[in-house]
């Protein structure tokens, strides 16, 4: 039998993967040499240099509350990342600032990690600031000695007033007030189940300074307050009061958000052409066919999983090329893209694209179905670099008009006539209301004071004419006011009223409401998704994520056959939520129906235009691998499968039929009706 195939990392080393990083020991200056500029900007952070101390372990180990709180405040006083000066304009100067940040944080870490007593805390100022040359002692003319910052400190953004003030402990009483007592007030070191919710307080009723109208407030009990309001009285114990206030606060806080994870596909179906022609795919095929820069496998993927991933990924990328009618070599963006299978993710994370290393990672369990989505992220990043964007092109779509058109089409659509009519009616009503209010404030007071009932009747008639848009109404009303009070409408108010007169006249002249635009269901549901799911803060409704979800749907619709590994998750962004009335609502954060067709049309325009610019290469057909003749002994087969353990991914793919036919045109057309 032929020797079993062994699949290892291929091509250029991608670098930066978790298995290569400094995560456990923290970041040192020497580690910057292996990072590019974007990585250094991302990773040079306080949390990566000096990991947050384990305060609870210190308390459990006998370190006093005030000392542990001092350590916390010292760590908190450091900036989260390097602060760059205006003059730090070159990569070399920014790199020097990063090195300075790491060195300074490490200096403080060395001092603070030795602090275990009050005396240690009081020596920290001298050990860190004076011994490292950031502060010097100078002799004053009459006031004795004092401390001042050196040029070294002034040139180092890490040395802040906040840090200096934290370290400067003047006495034991000062320490007790600023650290021990403050820690008690903030419930520092108190376990979560024993904490009084923020903003609430528990008090003991000693019977001396309490009053109730019905004399039902019992001495010797506990009560709960929020601000100046008493929320609950007569609680028998502090434990009972704590439980009551925790339950009360929990009921009034917003419920926790759900974590959205794409579902693992039960089966990875594919009914397209046999692009492999029965061959088992290797890493070399990815290098030769698509021009990938390199590839990696996760340590926990056995050889069977690696083979299944290589096979399904290869077919999916061929399907992508067929859907877009582009060259195979376009898939890897001219050799700049890398790919990883189960190597760079963690936990339940789905597939992702890393712009720092320009690599697509497909996680072992959830990566199947997300390749089109992540490929778009890579393409978005690639186009951004070509067109001068600082990051993804979708973040700066105005650099490419068709991208701006894509964003606009995703988020907005023309109003229906009835929507335009309803909106116009509401706008006109607001305009008339505001116009009437401004007119009354400018005229009515004077007419009531100096005029008669007849005058008010004249005003009412002129006001009706004004609100109906009759030209010249403001002049007549001003003349009426002058005849009664001796004063015309002041110019500033008259200008505003004449503006309203023109607006009201325009309303009367308008025959049909102008069609505006309204938010798409895709955009509206994406915003709602952000409010309901764990990742919010603009994630779900960002241009970057919306374009990726829309592209996956576009690819799925372009293919006349199923390709689950490529786009099986295109229609999976679905969540069940409760509305205010308690009714269950289905949120679908992907395009559907007419909105989807409109977005797909813009993607067609983008692909066609990029081919004209020679960013992409037009290819009518996607060709299968050339037939590879392998001499075999009689009844002998090449197998990559070992007896070590079964392949999870292979099991997912086991039931998928494959057409042994010519390229895509022979495949049957399928329905693309979105399904939950």
């Amino acid at each position: 039998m032929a020797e079993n195939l062994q699949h290892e990392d291929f091509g250029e080393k991608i670098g930066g993967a978790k298995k290569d990083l400094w995560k456990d020991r923290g970041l040192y200056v020497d580690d910057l040499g292996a990072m590019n500029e974007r990585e250094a900007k991302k990773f040079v952070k306080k949390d990566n240099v000096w990991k947050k101390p384990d305060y609870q372990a210190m308390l459990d180990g006998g370190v006093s509350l005030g000392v542990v709180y001092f350590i916390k405040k010292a760590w908190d006083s450091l900036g989260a990342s390097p602060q760059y000066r205006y003059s730090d304009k070159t990569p070399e100067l920014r790199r020097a600032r990063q090195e300075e940040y790491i060195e300074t944080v490490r200096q403080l870490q060395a001092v603070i990690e030795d602090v275990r007593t009050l005396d240690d805390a009081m020596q920290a100022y001298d050990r860190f600031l004076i011994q490292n040359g950031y502060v010097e002692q100078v002799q004053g003319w009459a006031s004795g000695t004092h401390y001042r910052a050196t040029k070294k400190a002034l040139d180092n953004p890490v040395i802040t007033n906040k840090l200096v003030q934290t370290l400067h402990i003047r006495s034991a009483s000062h320490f007790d007030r600023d650290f021990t007592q403050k820690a008690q007030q903030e419930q520092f070191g108190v376990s979560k189940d024993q904490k009084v919710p923020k903003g609430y307080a528990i008090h003991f009723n000693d019977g001396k300074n309490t009053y109730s109208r019905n004399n039902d407030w019992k001495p010797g009990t506990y009560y709960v307050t929020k601000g100046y309001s008493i929320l609950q009285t007569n609680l028998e114990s502090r434990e009972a009061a704590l439980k009551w206030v925790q339950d009360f606060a929990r009921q009034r806080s917003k419920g926790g958000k759900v974590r959205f994870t794409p579902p693992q596909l039960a089966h990875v179906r594919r009914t397209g052409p046999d692009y492999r022609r029965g061959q088992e795919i290797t890493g070399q095929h990815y290098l030769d066919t698509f021009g990938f820069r390199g590839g990696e496998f996760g340590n926990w993927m056995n050889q069977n999983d690696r083979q299944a991933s290589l096979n399904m990924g290869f077919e999916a990328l061929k399907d992508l090329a067929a859907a877009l009618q582009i060259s195979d070599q376009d898939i890897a963006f001219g050799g700049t893209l890398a790919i990883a299978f189960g190597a760079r993710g963690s936990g339940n994370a789905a597939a992702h694209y890393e712009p720092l290393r320009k690599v697509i990672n497909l996680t072992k369990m959830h990566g199947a179905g997300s390749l089109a989505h992540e490929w778009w992220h890579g393409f978005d990043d690639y186009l951004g670099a070509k067109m001068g964007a600082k990051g993804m092109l979708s973040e700066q779509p105005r650099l490419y008009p068709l991208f701006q058109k894509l964003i606009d089409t995703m988020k907005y659509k023309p109003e229906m006539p009835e929507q335009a009519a309803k909106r116009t009616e509401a706008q006109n009503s607001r305009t008339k209301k505001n116009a009437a209010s401004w007119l009354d404030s400018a005229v009515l007071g004077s007419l009531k004071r100096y005029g008669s009932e007849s005058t008010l009747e004249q005003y009412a008639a002129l006001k009706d004419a004004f609100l109906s848009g009759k030209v010249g109404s403001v002049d007549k009303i001003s003349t009426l006011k002058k005849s009664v009070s001796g004063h015309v409408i002041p110019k500033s108010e008259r200008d505003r009223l004449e503006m309203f007169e023109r607006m009201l006249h325009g309303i009367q002249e308008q025959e049909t409401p102008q069609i505006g635009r309204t938010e798409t269901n895709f955009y509206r549901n994406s915003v709602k998704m952000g409010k309901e799911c764990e990742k919010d803060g603009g994630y779900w409704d960002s241009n970057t994520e919306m374009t990726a979800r829309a592209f996956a749907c576009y690819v799925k619709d372009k293919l006349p056959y199923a390709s689950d590994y490529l786009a099986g998750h295109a229609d999976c962004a679905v969540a069940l939520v409760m509305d205010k009335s308690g009714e269950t609502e289905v949120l679908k954060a992907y395009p559907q129906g007419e909105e989807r067709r409109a977005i797909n049309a813009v993607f067609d325009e983008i692909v066609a235009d990029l081919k004209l610019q020679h960013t992409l290469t037009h290819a009518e057909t996607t060709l299968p691998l050339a037939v590879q003749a392998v001499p075999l002994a009689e009844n002998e087969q090449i197998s990559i499968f070992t007896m070590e353990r079964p392949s999870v991914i292979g099991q997912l793919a086991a039931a998928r039929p494959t057409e042994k036919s010519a390229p895509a045109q022979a495949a049957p057309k399928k329905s693309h009706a979105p399904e939950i």
Side-chain angles (χ1 to χ4, degrees), residues 166-180:
T166 299
L167 298 179
H168 192 200
I169 303 170
R170 293 179 291 277
S171 64
S173 60
H174 165 227
F175 181 88
D176 182 68
R177 183 184 67 252
D178 281 12
F179 296 102
T180 304

Side-chain angles (χ1 to χ4, degrees), residues 528-545:
K528 288 183 180 178
M529 200 77 158
K531 295 177 180 178
E532 297 293 335
C533 295
E534 192 175 71
K535 280 188 175 180
D536 60 352
Y539 171 84
W540 284 93
D541 56 321
S542 67
N543 291 348
T544 300
E545 288 303 319

Side-chain angles (χ1 to χ4, degrees), residues 201-345:
I202 298 174
H203 309 272
F204 178 69
N205 178 13
D206 57 6
K208 295 180 180 179
N209 297 306
T210 55
Y211 165 80
S212 64
R213 183 176 297 176
N214 301 320
N215 285 326
D216 55 356
W217 197 352
K218 302 175 183 177
T221 60
Y222 291 81
Y223 62 99
V224 177
T225 63
K226 185 175 185 182
Y228 295 105
S229 302
I230 299 174
L231 303 179
Q232 185 72 359
T233 60
N234 297 332
L235 294 160
E236 294 297 326
S237 64
R238 193 183 186 283
E239 289 72 21
L242 179 62
K243 185 179 184 307
W244 185 91
V245 71
Q246 287 176 340
D247 292 340
F248 182 85
R250 194 179 298 112
Q251 291 169 5
R252 276 148 182 78
S253 65
K254 185 179 180 182
K257 296 186 176 185
V258 299
R259 180 183 179 90
F260 178 85
T261 302
Q264 183 182 332
L265 298 177
H267 297 288
V268 181
R269 298 175 301 119
R270 184 178 180 276
T271 56
D274 180 16
Y275 290 121
R276 293 192 289 119
R277 285 184 171 172
Q279 299 181 55
E280 302 291 3
I281 299 299
T282 66
Q284 193 63 42
H285 286 111
Y286 279 72
L287 301 175
D288 296 341
T289 305
F290 304 115
F292 277 101
R293 192 176 84 251
E296 284 182 351
F297 298 99
N299 292 332
W300 72 312
M301 292 187 75
N302 63 29
Q303 291 296 321
N304 294 346
D305 289 333
R306 296 182 183 198
Q307 184 65 74
S309 296
L310 286 169
N311 288 350
M312 290 190 291
F314 182 89
E315 291 171 328
L317 292 170
K318 280 282 191 177
D319 291 337
L320 178 60
L324 303 180
Q325 291 190 321
I326 59 176
S327 162
D328 289 339
Q329 291 289 314
D330 288 339
I331 293 295
F333 319 139
T336 61
L337 184 66
I339 193 166
F341 299 98
R344 310 171 73 85

Side-chain angles (χ1 to χ4, degrees), residues 657-670:
T658 303
E659 293 288 335
K660 305 289 184 179
S661 62
Q665 60 264 33
K669 187 74 176 177
K670 65 175 179 63

Side-chain angles (χ1 to χ4, degrees), residues 376 393-394 396-414 517 520 522 543 546-547 550 595 597-607 609:
W376 172 261
L393 182 58
S394 58
Q396 297 177 265
R398 296 187 183 279
L399 293 174
Y400 183 31
L402 284 178
F403 251 58
Q404 186 62 57
K405 182 178 180 180
L406 175 63
I407 303 302
D408 291 340
T409 306
M410 288 194 308
K411 293 185 175 182
Y412 306 103
K413 60 183 178 181
R517 67 179 192 176
T520 61
F522 179 30
N543 291 348
M546 287 187 66
T547 53
E595 294 178 5
R597 284 187 281 274
I599 295 168
N600 286 353
V602 183
F603 275 121
D604 280 337
E605 290 186 64
I606 290 173
V607 172
D609 186 65

Side-chain angles (χ1 to χ4, degrees), residues 420-436:
K422 186 176 180 180
R423 174 186 52 79
T424 302
E425 184 181 355
Q427 289 175 342
N428 293 345
S429 178
R430 286 194 300 270
T431 300
K432 288 184 178 182
K433 184 178 179 180
N434 291 335

